[in-house]
Amino acid sequence: MSVSCGVECVVILGFSRWLWKRCTYVGSDDSATWPPATPDEFEPVPRVCRLILAVYEPDLRHPKYLPAGGYRLDPDWVVKRVTYEQTLGHAPPYLIYVDHDHREIVVAIRGLNLAKESDYELLLDNRLGQQMFDGGYVHRGLLKSAIWLLNEESETLKRLWVENGSNYDLVFAGHSLGSGVASILAVIVVNHGDQLGGVPRSKVRCYAVAPARCMSLNLAVKYADVIHSIILQDDFLPRTPTPLEDIFKSIFCLPCLLFAVCLRDTFIPEGRKLRDPRRLYAPGRMYHIVERKFCRCGRYPPEVRTAIPVDGRFEHIVLSCNATSDHGIIWIEREAEKALQVSEADLVFLWFTAIPKLP
């Protein structure tokens, strides 16, 4: 009897410790050791988020879904706007915009549309380890979508690149589903810049907002100088290794799925995860926007942390009521703008305090 009671106590204590660690794990823990991002490197993020939001507008001259402060773009600089009817399900809708103020040619791709069957078909076109690419693995459906988009727009992008003196940056940006397409598209362009008039790697950038896990770890790190992933606090999508197709098949029971994934992944050793070369990850350099603290109510002035992690690359689901809301592009744009303002204000304060005082 005493032995069985002792075993029960050990089991209960072990389970209680595990439950405490899981329930107290917060999104900010993923980047606790990362250094802060500078205002200069984070400056394009709110602007890129607004361009992605602009894809949702049927008419930018008479917008219906204005973010705070407006889109801050010139409708005359929109070169092309492509809808679902024009993509025929091969890719999400996108926008091509020439930003002369910042010397950029931008391809902005919208996120998943829950009402569009074609988006689900794109996500379902994959199995673990099915698609090899550039010495690693990528999501097969997203790769096919990126190739289709490049074939459709290569002449347009080449023309814009040449017309603007071959010195504008070529920027690919996307949210959620679109982030995966944009990331793989950027990788293709880096390796085949000759198709667009000889665009060098240094002129190609990608911003993956609320990124999907779309490429293996070796590719995610290899292209960290090109791809920048932006994650808001507890966002579920960059954290779950569950295949994208399973996530969105279960979208109406997503909290249940996330809890099950959290339980399962807790017992998988970190080393075992890293040893699987087929496992997909969020791509590139990570920018983590942190705005909430453990056991604190409300939101705090957001801060942005950045790194190119290998281990601990958003491997744990966060049991949070904000796991799905933090995935929304509207919230990300709002908090990114706040974070940039806070970062710039801190920089000005440090600059003034560093000036030696006159006697």
Side-chain angles (χ1 to χ4, degrees), residues 267-295:
F267 298 99
I268 301 178
E270 191 79 15
R272 179 181 169 188
K273 297 176 185 178
L274 293 173
R275 283 195 299 269
D276 187 353
R278 305 168 302 166
R279 185 180 174 89
L280 302 183
Y281 293 82
R285 172 178 281 277
M286 314 294 248
Y287 291 88
H288 193 201
I289 305 173
V290 177
E291 57 170 0
R292 292 184 295 273
K293 300 179 182 179
F294 180 59
C295 287

Side-chain angles (χ1 to χ4, degrees), residues 120-184:
Y120 290 99
E121 291 176 353
L122 193 156
L123 288 169
L124 290 168
D125 187 10
N126 188 62
R127 291 193 304 274
L128 183 65
Q130 182 181 15
Q131 184 65 59
M132 292 195 70
F133 179 77
D134 193 24
Y137 293 88
V138 295
H139 187 285
R140 183 170 182 263
L142 298 178
L143 174 63
K144 290 169 65 176
S145 181
I147 292 173
W148 180 88
L149 198 156
L150 183 60
N151 289 337
E152 286 290 309
E153 303 299 344
S154 58
E155 289 302 318
T156 301
L157 295 176
K158 181 178 181 179
R159 174 177 58 82
L160 293 172
W161 164 257
V162 173
E163 286 179 356
N164 290 284
S166 299
N167 58 10
Y168 274 32
D169 288 342
L170 186 56
V171 178
F172 301 99
H175 169 250
S176 189
L177 172 66
S179 71
V181 178
S183 299
I184 297 176

Side-chain angles (χ1 to χ4, degrees), residues 10-11 27 30 63 127 142 159 173 183 187 192 194 220 223-224 234 248 256 263 265-266 271 291 293 299 327 359:
V10 170
V11 171
D30 286 317
R127 291 193 304 274
L142 298 178
R159 174 177 58 82
S183 299
V187 171
H192 302 281
D194 55 307
Y223 292 99
D234 300 335
F248 289 102
C256 302
L263 292 177
D265 287 352
T266 298
E291 57 170 0
K293 300 179 182 179
R299 297 173 183 265
H327 186 67

Side-chain angles (χ1 to χ4, degrees), residues 213 235-243 247 257-258 261 264-265 279-280 314-317:
R213 286 181 168 236
D235 188 358
F236 75 94
L237 189 59
R239 288 182 167 89
T240 176
T242 302
I247 291 174
L257 176 68
L258 295 181
V261 170
R264 185 195 69 187
D265 287 352
R279 185 180 174 89
L280 302 183
F314 290 88
E315 290 303 308
H316 299 289
I317 290 289

Side-chain angles (χ1 to χ4, degrees), residues 10-220:
V10 170
V11 171
I12 292 172
L13 287 172
F15 179 76
S16 299
R17 178 178 179 274
W18 169 84
L19 186 63
W20 171 256
K21 289 179 68 176
R22 293 311 306 157
C23 292
T24 58
Y25 189 88
V26 293
S28 59
D29 292 343
D30 286 317
S31 59
T33 61
W34 296 5
T38 64
D40 286 343
E41 62 181 318
F42 194 71
E43 181 274 331
V45 173
R47 173 161 42 88
V48 164
C49 289
R50 289 191 291 270
L51 274 171
I52 296 172
L53 278 169
V55 182
Y56 293 79
E57 291 284 1
D59 184 1
L60 282 171
R61 297 185 184 280
H62 303 91
K64 298 180 180 179
Y65 316 110
L66 277 174
Y71 290 110
R72 306 175 213 177
L73 55 81
D74 188 337
D76 293 331
W77 293 350
V78 175
V79 176
K80 195 172 187 179
R81 183 179 177 276
V82 180
T83 64
Y84 277 109
E85 289 71 23
Q86 294 164 294
T87 65
L88 301 176
H90 293 292
Y94 58 91
L95 187 78
I96 299 179
Y97 180 76
V98 179
D99 188 342
H100 294 291
D101 291 335
H102 298 93
R103 304 177 68 80
E104 294 173 344
I105 302 167
V106 186
V107 179
I109 309 170
R110 67 158 284 167
L112 177 78
N113 186 339
L114 294 176
K116 285 294 181 180
E117 183 180 342
S118 59
D119 282 4
Y120 290 99
E121 291 176 353
L122 193 156
L123 288 169
L124 290 168
D125 187 10
N126 188 62
R127 291 193 304 274
L128 183 65
Q130 182 181 15
Q131 184 65 59
M132 292 195 70
F133 179 77
D134 193 24
Y137 293 88
V138 295
H139 187 285
R140 183 170 182 263
L142 298 178
L143 174 63
K144 290 169 65 176
S145 181
I147 292 173
W148 180 88
L149 198 156
L150 183 60
N151 289 337
E152 286 290 309
E153 303 299 344
S154 58
E155 289 302 318
T156 301
L157 295 176
K158 181 178 181 179
R159 174 177 58 82
L160 293 172
W161 164 257
V162 173
E163 286 179 356
N164 290 284
S166 299
N167 58 10
Y168 274 32
D169 288 342
L170 186 56
V171 178
F172 301 99
H175 169 250
S176 189
L177 172 66
S179 71
V181 178
S183 299
I184 297 176
L185 183 56
V187 171
I188 296 173
V189 170
V190 164
N191 288 281
H192 302 281
D194 55 307
Q195 293 187 20
L196 302 180
V199 182
R201 181 178 182 134
S202 60
K203 289 291 185 181
V204 180
R205 281 184 288 126
C206 173
Y207 292 94
V209 182
R213 286 181 168 236
C214 59
M215 60 182 66
S216 55
L217 182 59
N218 62 325
L219 296 181

